[in-house]
Amino acid sequence: MSWDLEFAEPIDLPNNVVATTLRQVTAYISELPDAEQNSREWQNARQRILDAANQVGSIWFARIAIIQALQRDRGNVVRRDFRPRFRKRSWSPEELTLLNKLVVAGASPGTAAEALNRTEETVRIKARMIGCPFPHRNEIKRRPQANRNVLVSSSDAT
C-alpha cells in the first residue's frame, strides 16, 4: 500500500489543512465523529482511498469522492447543469395565427422571429409543432427569383 500518493491538486480540508497525500486525508477522516464517518459519502471516499492506495483504483476517483464528501459536510449544493434558466413564454392564439400566416406567405424564419419577438429556433420549432414548417433553404433557392421577391415584399407589408 502506498499512502504517500499525491493528488494532482491539493484538497482544502475544513480544519485549515491542505491535504496533498492519501495519508493526510485518512488522518482527517479518522478525526471525524463516528456518525459522520459512517455516512455514505465518507464510506465511498474511504473505499476510493483504499483502492488508490492498493493501486487498484485511480487517485482521481479518490479525490472526487473526497470532494463530494466535503461538500456534503459543508452543506454546499452542487448544481449539475450550469445553463441559465429562462422562463418559457407561452404562445397566444394570435401569435400562432400570425406564425401560420407568415409561413404560408413564405417569410423566412428570421423575419417571423422578428415579427413575433422570439428567437429563430423557437419559431422554427413551433412552426413544426403546429404542422406548417418553414421550407428548407434548398426549396427556397429553387423558386424563381421573381416569386421570391414578391413573397418577401408581401410578408413585409403584413
Side-chain angles (χ1 to χ4, degrees), residues 24-33 37 42 45-46 49 66:
Q24 292 169 330
V25 174
T26 341
Y28 170 76
I29 295 173
S30 65
E31 294 172 3
L32 294 173
Q37 283 185 24
W42 281 114
R46 280 194 308 208
I49 290 169
I66 293 163

mmCIF file of all heavy atoms in Angstrom, residues 24-33 37 42 45-46 49 66:
data_model
loop_
_atom_site.group_PDB
_atom_site.id
_atom_site.type_symbol
_atom_site.label_atom_id
_atom_site.label_comp_id
_atom_site.label_asym_id
_atom_site.label_seq_id
_atom_site.Cartn_x
_atom_site.Cartn_y
_atom_site.Cartn_z
ATOM 1 N N GLN A 24 -2.780 12.103 4.593
ATOM 2 C CA GLN A 24 -3.348 13.287 5.250
ATOM 3 C C GLN A 24 -4.873 13.231 5.259
ATOM 4 O O GLN A 24 -5.506 13.591 6.248
ATOM 5 C CB GLN A 24 -2.867 14.558 4.545
ATOM 6 C CG GLN A 24 -1.383 14.806 4.726
ATOM 7 C CD GLN A 24 -0.875 15.902 3.809
ATOM 8 O OE1 GLN A 24 -1.402 16.096 2.714
ATOM 9 N NE2 GLN A 24 0.171 16.598 4.247
ATOM 10 N N VAL A 25 -5.462 12.765 4.174
ATOM 11 C CA VAL A 25 -6.919 12.671 4.107
ATOM 12 C C VAL A 25 -7.419 11.586 5.057
ATOM 13 O O VAL A 25 -8.429 11.761 5.739
ATOM 14 C CB VAL A 25 -7.390 12.407 2.660
ATOM 15 C CG1 VAL A 25 -8.879 12.170 2.613
ATOM 16 C CG2 VAL A 25 -7.026 13.568 1.771
ATOM 17 N N THR A 26 -6.698 10.475 5.141
ATOM 18 C CA THR A 26 -7.116 9.392 6.038
ATOM 19 C C THR A 26 -7.055 9.859 7.486
ATOM 20 O O THR A 26 -7.934 9.512 8.289
ATOM 21 C CB THR A 26 -6.225 8.145 5.887
ATOM 22 O OG1 THR A 26 -5.539 8.179 4.657
ATOM 23 C CG2 THR A 26 -7.025 6.887 5.925
ATOM 24 N N ALA A 27 -6.040 10.648 7.826
ATOM 25 C CA ALA A 27 -5.943 11.194 9.188
ATOM 26 C C ALA A 27 -7.130 12.111 9.471
ATOM 27 O O ALA A 27 -7.704 12.077 10.569
ATOM 28 C CB ALA A 27 -4.625 11.942 9.356
ATOM 29 N N TYR A 28 -7.517 12.914 8.487
ATOM 30 C CA TYR A 28 -8.670 13.805 8.666
ATOM 31 C C TYR A 28 -9.945 12.991 8.877
ATOM 32 O O TYR A 28 -10.745 13.290 9.775
ATOM 33 C CB TYR A 28 -8.825 14.731 7.457
ATOM 34 C CG TYR A 28 -10.116 15.502 7.472
ATOM 35 C CD1 TYR A 28 -10.284 16.585 8.321
ATOM 36 C CD2 TYR A 28 -11.188 15.124 6.670
ATOM 37 C CE1 TYR A 28 -11.484 17.286 8.364
ATOM 38 C CE2 TYR A 28 -12.385 15.805 6.706
ATOM 39 C CZ TYR A 28 -12.523 16.894 7.557
ATOM 40 O OH TYR A 28 -13.716 17.570 7.602
ATOM 41 N N ILE A 29 -10.140 11.952 8.078
ATOM 42 C CA ILE A 29 -11.353 11.130 8.186
ATOM 43 C C ILE A 29 -11.411 10.454 9.550
ATOM 44 O O ILE A 29 -12.477 10.358 10.161
ATOM 45 C CB ILE A 29 -11.429 10.097 7.042
ATOM 46 C CG1 ILE A 29 -11.577 10.801 5.701
ATOM 47 C CG2 ILE A 29 -12.596 9.133 7.247
ATOM 48 C CD1 ILE A 29 -11.482 9.878 4.497
ATOM 49 N N SER A 30 -10.264 10.005 10.067
ATOM 50 C CA SER A 30 -10.257 9.327 11.371
ATOM 51 C C SER A 30 -10.617 10.284 12.509
ATOM 52 O O SER A 30 -11.053 9.842 13.576
ATOM 53 C CB SER A 30 -8.897 8.675 11.626
ATOM 54 O OG SER A 30 -7.902 9.672 11.739
ATOM 55 N N GLU A 31 -10.429 11.594 12.323
ATOM 56 C CA GLU A 31 -10.787 12.585 13.340
ATOM 57 C C GLU A 31 -12.275 12.927 13.336
ATOM 58 O O GLU A 31 -12.775 13.529 14.278
ATOM 59 C CB GLU A 31 -9.989 13.875 13.123
ATOM 60 C CG GLU A 31 -8.500 13.726 13.335
ATOM 61 C CD GLU A 31 -7.726 14.966 12.913
ATOM 62 O OE1 GLU A 31 -8.372 15.961 12.510
ATOM 63 O OE2 GLU A 31 -6.496 14.929 12.970
ATOM 64 N N LEU A 32 -12.987 12.532 12.289
ATOM 65 C CA LEU A 32 -14.409 12.841 12.193
ATOM 66 C C LEU A 32 -15.208 12.031 13.207
ATOM 67 O O LEU A 32 -14.801 10.926 13.583
ATOM 68 C CB LEU A 32 -14.930 12.542 10.778
ATOM 69 C CG LEU A 32 -14.399 13.396 9.642
ATOM 70 C CD1 LEU A 32 -14.886 12.848 8.301
ATOM 71 C CD2 LEU A 32 -14.834 14.832 9.808
ATOM 72 N N PRO A 33 -16.371 12.564 13.625
ATOM 73 C CA PRO A 33 -17.235 11.783 14.511
ATOM 74 C C PRO A 33 -17.705 10.502 13.809
ATOM 75 O O PRO A 33 -17.790 10.450 12.579
ATOM 76 C CB PRO A 33 -18.417 12.710 14.769
ATOM 77 C CG PRO A 33 -17.972 14.064 14.378
ATOM 78 C CD PRO A 33 -16.875 13.896 13.385
ATOM 79 N N GLN A 37 -18.370 9.617 9.867
ATOM 80 C CA GLN A 37 -17.536 8.638 9.174
ATOM 81 C C GLN A 37 -18.379 7.554 8.517
ATOM 82 O O GLN A 37 -18.005 7.015 7.491
ATOM 83 C CB GLN A 37 -16.576 7.965 10.156
ATOM 84 C CG GLN A 37 -15.392 8.792 10.535
ATOM 85 C CD GLN A 37 -14.445 8.002 11.417
ATOM 86 O OE1 GLN A 37 -14.435 6.778 11.383
ATOM 87 N NE2 GLN A 37 -13.646 8.710 12.207
ATOM 88 N N TRP A 42 -18.679 9.459 2.987
ATOM 89 C CA TRP A 42 -17.355 9.191 3.536
ATOM 90 C C TRP A 42 -16.974 7.726 3.373
ATOM 91 O O TRP A 42 -15.798 7.402 3.212
ATOM 92 C CB TRP A 42 -17.264 9.638 4.994
ATOM 93 C CG TRP A 42 -17.058 11.115 5.092
ATOM 94 C CD1 TRP A 42 -17.912 12.038 5.605
ATOM 95 C CD2 TRP A 42 -15.923 11.850 4.624
ATOM 96 N NE1 TRP A 42 -17.387 13.300 5.493
ATOM 97 C CE2 TRP A 42 -16.159 13.221 4.898
ATOM 98 C CE3 TRP A 42 -14.728 11.506 4.002
ATOM 99 C CZ2 TRP A 42 -15.247 14.221 4.571
ATOM 100 C CZ3 TRP A 42 -13.825 12.504 3.679
ATOM 101 C CH2 TRP A 42 -14.079 13.844 3.956
ATOM 102 N N ALA A 45 -15.702 7.564 -0.065
ATOM 103 C CA ALA A 45 -14.383 8.179 -0.134
ATOM 104 C C ALA A 45 -13.318 7.244 0.431
ATOM 105 O O ALA A 45 -12.242 7.086 -0.157
ATOM 106 C CB ALA A 45 -14.380 9.509 0.621
ATOM 107 N N ARG A 46 -13.621 6.601 1.575
ATOM 108 C CA ARG A 46 -12.655 5.661 2.160
ATOM 109 C C ARG A 46 -12.365 4.501 1.212
ATOM 110 O O ARG A 46 -11.216 4.074 1.069
ATOM 111 C CB ARG A 46 -13.180 5.124 3.494
ATOM 112 C CG ARG A 46 -12.963 6.090 4.634
ATOM 113 C CD ARG A 46 -13.167 5.425 5.943
ATOM 114 N NE ARG A 46 -14.447 4.737 5.984
ATOM 115 C CZ ARG A 46 -15.145 4.507 7.071
ATOM 116 N NH1 ARG A 46 -14.685 4.890 8.227
ATOM 117 N NH2 ARG A 46 -16.294 3.877 7.025
ATOM 118 N N ILE A 49 -10.123 5.715 -1.508
ATOM 119 C CA ILE A 49 -8.764 5.938 -0.996
ATOM 120 C C ILE A 49 -8.027 4.594 -0.880
ATOM 121 O O ILE A 49 -6.865 4.478 -1.271
ATOM 122 C CB ILE A 49 -8.810 6.667 0.366
ATOM 123 C CG1 ILE A 49 -9.282 8.109 0.158
ATOM 124 C CG2 ILE A 49 -7.456 6.643 1.052
ATOM 125 C CD1 ILE A 49 -9.619 8.834 1.440
ATOM 126 N N ILE A 66 -13.633 12.382 -2.191
ATOM 127 C CA ILE A 66 -13.329 13.209 -1.014
ATOM 128 C C ILE A 66 -14.005 14.571 -1.138
ATOM 129 O O ILE A 66 -14.631 15.066 -0.195
ATOM 130 C CB ILE A 66 -11.798 13.368 -0.848
ATOM 131 C CG1 ILE A 66 -11.176 12.023 -0.507
ATOM 132 C CG2 ILE A 66 -11.466 14.403 0.205
ATOM 133 C CD1 ILE A 66 -9.672 11.968 -0.710
#
